[in-house]
Amino acid sequence: MLDIDTFSLILILSGLILLGAVGFHYANCSNMVRRKRREFESLSYALEQKIFDLEQEVVDLQMQIDKVDEQINSMEE
Amino acid sequence: MTVPLIILGVLVVVTLFSFRSISLNKINTLSDLTRDKQAVKTQYDYLVRRKADLEAELAEKEKLLTALVSSQQGPRIKTASEMRIDEDSEDERVSNLLLSMGKISLEENEKIKKKMDVLKMDFLTTSLALGFIDSELSQKIKKDQIRPKR
């Protein structure tokens, strides 16, 4: 049978291992969140650029359509 | 004996609680990011669809306008720019030149064009090879007549 000091030491070591596991889990999760956030930011930046371009193109197309509409109306009158 | 056991029990509880809160925090952050990403993607998809719709609408209206213009003006001959003559290849220009000079007939022109693919040669060389023009004319056209427009 283990004596009291050895048993206490084992318990304290177990506690330290648990704390280490918490630290490891925290570091893992933080890394994953940071990586995902970076991915999202780069994707978001690229998409926002494309969205800006698309908005310009949509406005241009709308203006072209309005112009063609005007021409059609003037031809039909 | 009891105190280390209590300390260990407290540590186990704290560990479990920490694990749970860390995991929950991670899941919440990731779902927030996914939601934001989805929102940006939805906006992008909407704009792509809108652009496609507008392009289709514009094409349709342009077609309508063209139909209206031709119905009011009647049939007309296309201008050179509409026919993209300026963008024609050198072969095309040689072909037009030889036809306009009367050196080859339309049938011969077609024959040369067909043979060009087989012989893998340009229009002038093919017509020379088939004997529709002589080498003198070929040289003249090469030197004087046909210069790519820049």
Side-chain angles (χ1 to χ4, degrees):
Chain A
M1 190 63 185
L2 294 171
D3 62 24
I4 185 77
D5 289 339
T6 314
F7 189 65
S8 301
L9 193 64
I10 289 171
L11 287 181
I12 290 168
L13 282 174
S14 307
L16 288 174
I17 288 169
L18 285 177
L19 282 178
V22 170
F24 183 72
H25 182 59
Y26 177 74
N28 259 350
C29 289
S30 299
N31 277 341
M32 182 190 270
V33 167
R34 204 176 304 126
R35 201 177 58 241
K36 290 278 176 190
R37 199 185 292 276
R38 231 181 356 249
E39 280 175 16
F40 168 72
E41 278 167 4
S42 60
L43 177 73
S44 172
Y45 178 74
L47 278 179
E48 275 169 10
Q49 291 291 317
K50 284 185 182 173
I51 285 172
F52 178 74
D53 292 344
L54 277 172
E55 279 173 347
Q56 294 289 323
E57 286 175 24
V58 163
V59 170
D60 287 348
L61 280 170
Q62 194 63 58
M63 283 167 63
Q64 283 180 37
I65 287 173
D66 290 344
K67 209 183 284 178
V68 172
D69 272 341
E70 278 175 22
Q71 286 176 323
I72 289 172
N73 287 336
S74 64
M75 298 277 297
E76 282 175 343
E77 279 168 6
Chain B
M1 181 70 183
T2 320
V3 175
L5 271 177
I6 291 170
I7 293 173
L8 184 66
V10 169
L11 274 176
V12 167
V13 171
V14 168
T15 303
L16 289 177
F17 181 75
S18 307
F19 257 85
R20 190 172 173 275
S21 61
I22 290 168
S23 298
L24 276 179
N25 185 40
K26 180 187 83 174
I27 291 167
N28 285 339
T29 312
L30 288 182
S31 57
D32 284 352
L33 283 175
T34 311
R35 201 178 48 241
D36 290 349
K37 188 168 127 185
Q38 200 57 43
V40 177
K41 269 191 172 174
T42 309
Q43 192 186 0
Y44 176 73
D45 290 342
Y46 166 75
L47 281 170
V48 169
R49 276 200 305 274
R50 176 109 178 101
K51 186 187 163 196
D53 289 348
L54 285 175
E55 278 174 346
E57 190 183 340
L58 180 64
E60 198 178 312
K61 291 195 168 172
E62 276 180 344
K63 206 188 286 180
L64 177 65
L65 181 65
T66 313
L68 276 172
V69 169
S70 17
S71 69
Q72 288 194 1
Q73 290 183 347
R76 65 191 178 87
I77 296 167
K78 283 185 177 177
T79 61
S81 61
E82 284 171 342
M83 291 177 75
R84 295 169 185 265
I85 281 175
D86 55 328
E87 291 174 16
D88 280 348
S89 64
E90 187 173 322
D91 288 335
E92 212 42 54
R93 286 202 301 275
V94 174
S95 162
N96 289 336
L97 183 69
L98 287 175
L99 279 171
S100 63
M101 287 165 74
K103 298 289 179 188
I104 56 170
S105 66
L106 278 172
E107 276 177 24
E108 288 169 344
N109 185 46
E110 290 305 312
K111 203 171 175 181
I112 293 166
K113 280 182 180 171
K114 278 178 194 164
K115 286 284 179 187
M116 272 170 66
D117 294 333
V118 182
L119 299 173
K120 307 280 180 207
M121 292 192 287
D122 63 2
F123 191 90
L124 199 59
T125 320
T126 312
S127 49
L128 182 65
L130 293 175
F132 295 130
I133 59 169
D134 54 21
S135 57
E136 194 184 332
L137 180 63
S138 163
Q139 291 296 326
K140 190 181 170 193
I141 289 174
K142 259 187 196 168
K143 281 180 186 169
D144 305 324
Q145 303 290 332
I146 308 299
R147 291 274 179 244
K149 290 171 188 172
R150 293 273 180 254

